[in-house]
């Protein structure tokens, strides 16, 4: 959780060094999806954003985390 963040953008890929696609923009600290296949490993990274009058300001990306779907 990033203090002062308006929300978070979650990105995913099917390989650690692959191309990441936007999964969701969320206001809280969790996101859910049913688009992933059982038994496969996926990779995720997140960045926080703060909404300002001039537009959104984004943080750097988080480190990559892997998740295997059960």
């Amino acid at each position: 959780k990033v203090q002062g963040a308006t929300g978070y953008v979650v990105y995913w890929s099917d390989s650690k060094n692959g191309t990441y696609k936007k999964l969701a923009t969320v206001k809280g600290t969790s996101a859910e999806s049913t688009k992933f296949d059982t038994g496969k490993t996926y990779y995720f990274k997140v960045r926080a954003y703060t909404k300002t009058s001039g537009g959104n300001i984004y943080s750097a990306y988080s480190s990559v985390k892997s998740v295997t779907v059960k």
Side-chain angles (χ1 to χ4, degrees):
K1 188 172 185 179
V2 175
Q3 182 149 348
T6 302
Y8 302 88
V9 185
V10 181
Y11 299 87
W12 72 278
S13 177
D14 56 6
S15 66
K16 185 173 184 177
N17 296 315
T19 301
Y20 283 78
K21 302 170 196 118
K22 182 177 168 182
L23 174 65
T25 300
V26 296
K27 299 275 184 190
T29 56
S30 66
E32 294 182 22
S33 178
T34 58
K35 72 185 296 175
F36 301 107
D37 296 327
T38 302
K40 287 191 72 177
T41 300
Y42 296 94
Y43 300 85
F44 297 87
K45 60 185 179 180
V46 177
R47 65 180 178 169
Y49 73 92
T50 301
K51 189 172 279 197
T52 68
S53 60
N56 293 339
I57 299 172
Y58 294 91
S59 72
Y61 289 100
S62 68
S63 59
V64 173
K65 302 294 181 185
S66 64
V67 175
T68 301
V69 179
K70 294 185 177 189

